[in-house]
Amino acid sequence: MLDFVIILLFILGGAGVGFDTVELLPPSVQEQITNLEALRWILASFTAIIGFAVGLTVQVTYRRLEKQVRQLPIEVILTRAVGLVLGLLLANLMLAPIFLLPFPSEFAFIKPLAAILGSVMFAFLGISLADTHGRTFLRLINPNSLDTILVAEGTLKAAASKVLDTSCIIDGRIEELLNTGFVEGQILIPQFVLQELQQLADAANDQKRIRGRRGLDILKAMQTAYPERLIIHPADYYEDIQTVDAKLVRFTQDINGTLLTNDYNLSKVANLQKVPVLNVNDLAHAMRPIYLPGDSLELKILKEGKEPSQGVGYLDDGTMVVVEEGRNHLGAEMRVVVTSALQTSAGRMIFARPQASVAA
């Protein structure tokens, strides 16, 4: 809409200039023209085309400038604005004596020329000084904040807000992540996510009701532990969107945040729409310990394996460990030595032998 208004104003302005240009012609020339109205409209059409070209150029230039301004950190914009104001103020103070001096009428143009030249020079000087000494200026405002200075120079970027979905809250591992300090930034819970938790807590199905109440309890514990970081956002104005997952993706896009979830399908949909996603399951998978041949570990043999002498145990993350000569130790804990590891479509599988048999 703004682009259309800019171009339309230049078209109308150009047409108006062309329409009134006839009045600038000498009377002798106007008397020779048989149809002044036709000439007015011809000139108006011609200047309207020129106005369209100029308006299109202005519109493109404006959009490029807008894009560059949006990419600038807010601290840089702030320091440049302060530098611009100080530069213009200094220019006016220094140019004031010039306006008090008497000038002959023939040199009256010097005053407005000096005002324009001085204002432009000091404005650019103020912006240049802000770019050079912006960090010092921020240090004067907040001397104890190094991150403010780093953000101003573009070295450091502010942490994006994290948006939690329902499954991530019910899962409960996000609370432990917050306690460890690995998740930074504000934690946002949209209103429609809170409503979904409430609907689960009020459901007739026992499993859904337990999950919903667990989510509300975890949310309450996190809000008590981190009252300044965890915010219930009142955003519930996506009436044209039906599903909670689609609302989450749209809301995260609107705030330029990061979606925090453990839902595989939601992660894929968000990635397709260029929304940053942190998947708790991916983090847990990446943090699983890697066992190499020769490593030893404590393991409880829980059941028999497929082969006659095999026993099977499981690590804390659910990884299956097949122990040769482990059938005779069912129900007992023993130290085993890893012999090999295999990655299958169902997950990772580790093969091991009792440490006593390896030592022998």
Side-chain angles (χ1 to χ4, degrees):
M1 184 63 183
L2 179 61
D3 298 339
F4 173 76
V5 170
I6 292 175
I7 296 175
L8 179 62
L9 288 176
F10 273 91
I11 292 176
L12 295 177
V17 171
F19 192 83
D20 293 333
T21 301
V22 177
E23 303 295 337
L24 301 178
L25 296 176
S28 57
V29 176
Q30 295 184 21
E31 292 175 357
Q32 297 177 7
I33 300 174
T34 57
N35 193 339
L36 285 176
E37 290 298 322
L39 180 61
R40 289 177 187 274
W41 288 109
I42 292 174
L43 289 176
S45 301
F46 179 72
T47 52
I49 296 174
I50 297 177
F52 172 76
V54 175
L56 189 62
T57 303
V58 172
Q59 180 266 333
V60 172
T61 304
Y62 169 77
R63 287 303 178 187
R64 288 179 179 176
L65 180 62
E66 181 186 29
K67 183 178 180 181
Q68 292 178 358
V69 171
R70 286 187 175 184
Q71 293 175 349
L72 289 175
I74 185 63
E75 286 78 8
V76 174
I77 297 176
L78 176 63
T79 54
R80 287 184 176 181
V82 173
L84 176 63
V85 171
L86 292 178
L88 292 175
L89 180 61
L90 185 61
N92 280 273
L93 291 175
M94 295 187 65
L95 292 173
I98 297 179
F99 290 97
L100 297 177
L101 295 176
F103 280 93
S105 58
E106 293 81 1
F107 299 99
F109 66 91
I110 293 179
K111 290 183 179 181
L113 181 63
I116 295 174
L117 183 61
S119 298
V120 171
M121 289 179 59
F122 279 94
F124 276 100
L125 178 62
I127 294 175
S128 178
L129 290 176
D131 289 340
T132 305
H133 302 288
R135 293 188 304 172
T136 305
F137 176 73
L138 292 175
R139 189 182 293 114
L140 291 174
I141 297 176
N142 191 358
N144 298 321
S145 179
L146 179 60
D147 59 340
T148 304
I149 300 172
L150 294 178
V151 168
E153 66 180 8
T155 304
L156 184 67
K157 291 186 177 180
S161 297
K162 309 301 186 297
V163 181
L164 297 187
D165 78 330
T166 309
S167 62
C168 188
I169 297 173
I170 296 175
D171 178 79
R173 287 178 290 180
I174 181 61
E175 184 178 8
E176 298 299 326
L177 283 176
L178 286 176
N179 293 336
T180 57
F182 280 101
V183 177
E184 59 182 3
Q186 294 282 24
I187 308 297
L188 300 182
I189 313 295
Q191 186 67 34
F192 48 81
V193 171
L194 191 61
Q195 291 175 355
E196 187 179 34
L197 280 175
Q198 184 178 359
Q199 291 174 1
L200 288 174
D202 295 337
N205 186 287
D206 291 340
Q207 292 184 349
K208 289 184 178 180
R209 186 165 60 251
I210 293 173
R211 285 168 53 84
R213 291 178 178 177
R214 168 182 165 81
L216 291 175
D217 291 340
I218 291 173
L219 205 57
K220 180 61 177 178
M222 290 193 299
Q223 191 176 41
T224 303
Y226 307 98
E228 296 182 356
R229 291 187 59 190
L230 196 141
I231 299 174
I232 306 298
H233 197 282
D236 196 14
Y237 35 74
Y238 301 106
E239 297 180 356
D240 57 324
I241 303 176
Q242 302 299 323
T243 64
V244 174
D245 287 353
K247 289 182 179 181
L248 272 169
V249 174
R250 174 71 69 82
F251 175 70
T252 309
Q253 280 181 324
D254 290 345
I255 67 170
N256 292 324
T258 300
L259 181 60
L260 196 56
T261 181
N262 62 359
D263 189 325
Y264 177 80
N265 293 326
L266 179 58
S267 298
K268 290 298 182 183
V269 171
N271 284 326
L272 288 174
Q273 299 186 49
K274 309 300 182 183
V275 175
V277 178
L278 294 177
N279 194 310
V280 179
N281 290 333
D282 292 342
L283 176 62
H285 185 272
M287 294 303 295
R288 290 190 305 176
I290 299 176
Y291 291 101
L292 301 176
D295 293 343
S296 61
L297 52 95
E298 289 287 339
L299 185 72
K300 184 176 183 178
I301 308 300
L302 298 178
K303 64 180 182 179
E304 298 178 355
K306 292 183 178 180
E307 300 298 328
S309 62
Q310 288 180 344
V312 175
Y314 294 91
L315 300 179
D316 293 337
D317 59 5
T319 301
M320 178 187 290
V321 181
V322 179
V323 182
E324 298 294 337
E325 304 176 10
R327 176 168 295 190
N328 297 331
H329 302 277
L330 284 177
E333 288 193 7
M334 59 185 303
R335 180 164 289 276
V336 298
V337 177
V338 177
T339 57
S340 63
L342 178 64
Q343 184 69 39
T344 66
S345 58
R348 187 177 53 161
M349 183 182 297
I350 295 176
F351 296 92
R353 296 178 64 88
Q355 190 176 37
S357 64
V358 175

